[in-house]
């Protein structure tokens, strides 16, 4: 007797989680992460209305990286300095959003961990500075303000809203 098995494709080799487990996971993920467009939108709305966005943005990269470009209004606090400087620079009652270079760098994750261990509420900005620039948001350098056109592979070119 010959038994044949139907090969399972790589996507379904490990079956999807149950809907309840998936809902719990994705809900938790949103508690830990914010995307670049949401951060930019919240900062822009607060600036236009003259209000506080309700969070502070931390650039966890080196001084050379900060000088090369950073999110306007961000606080420069390299990860290695968080244990000694966070208490003086941040208000524990205000949530913190960390970022580093981009999706290939875990510096924002390490910064978020260091801040959480000190008792701060924290989220990581997905995409980091790379996607801030690639999505066409203004940034600051040591020479002053800068901006590049949005990359059509990362942001809509004819709209401010990606629809997601």
């Amino acid at each position: 007797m010959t038994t044949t098995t139907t090969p399972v494709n790589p996507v379904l080799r490990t079956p999807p989680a149950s809907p309840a487990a998936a809902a719990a996971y994705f809900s938790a993920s949103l508690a830990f992460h914010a995307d670049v467009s949401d951060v930019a939108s919240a900062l822009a709305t607060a600036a236009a209305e003259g209000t506080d966005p309700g969070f502070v943005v931390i650039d966890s990269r080196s001084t050379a990286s900060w000088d090369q470009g950073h999110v306007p209004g961000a606080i420069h606090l390299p990860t290695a300095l968080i244990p000694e400087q966070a208490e003086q620079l941040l208000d524990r009652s205000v949530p913190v959003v960390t970022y580093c270079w981009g999706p290939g760098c875990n510096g924002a994750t390490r910064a978020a961990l260091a801040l959480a261990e000190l008792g701060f509420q924290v989220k990581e900005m997905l995409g980091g500075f790379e996607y801030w620039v690639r999505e066409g948001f203004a940034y600051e350098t040591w020479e002053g303000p800068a901006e590049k056109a949005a990359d059509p592979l990362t942001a809509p070119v004819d709209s401010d809203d990606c629809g997601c």
Side-chain angles (χ1 to χ4, degrees):
M1 176 170 156
T2 306
T3 304
T4 59
T5 57
T6 305
V8 177
N9 72 50
V11 172
L12 299 176
R13 187 177 302 136
T14 300
S18 71
Y25 171 83
F26 293 117
S27 177
S29 179
L30 292 171
F32 298 112
H33 302 107
D35 73 19
V36 165
S37 342
D38 288 344
V39 172
S41 175
L43 292 174
T45 298
E49 295 174 354
T51 60
D52 186 316
F55 61 90
V56 63
V57 178
I58 297 294
D59 184 315
S60 65
R61 301 172 302 147
S62 69
T63 299
S65 300
W66 168 267
D67 288 346
Q68 189 174 326
H70 57 270
V71 172
I75 295 172
H76 185 223
L77 181 57
T79 302
L81 300 178
I82 288 173
E84 63 191 64
Q85 294 184 4
E87 300 287 341
Q88 293 81 34
L89 294 174
L90 304 172
D91 179 342
R92 208 177 284 287
S93 69
V94 177
V96 177
V97 176
T98 63
Y99 75 89
C100 62
W101 273 112
C105 175
N106 68 359
T109 305
R110 285 184 278 114
L113 173 59
L115 288 162
E117 288 175 338
L118 292 173
F120 290 91
Q121 293 179 305
V122 63
K123 287 189 172 201
E124 179 182 4
M125 185 174 79
L126 297 176
F129 184 67
E130 176 189 351
Y131 275 74
W132 185 274
V133 174
R134 289 183 73 186
E135 291 190 25
F137 299 116
Y139 59 97
E140 296 174 346
T141 72
W142 69 273
E143 296 175 305
E147 190 171 348
K148 293 184 179 185
D151 178 340
L153 295 176
T154 64
V157 292
D158 297 329
S159 171
D160 289 336
D161 183 7
C162 70
C164 59

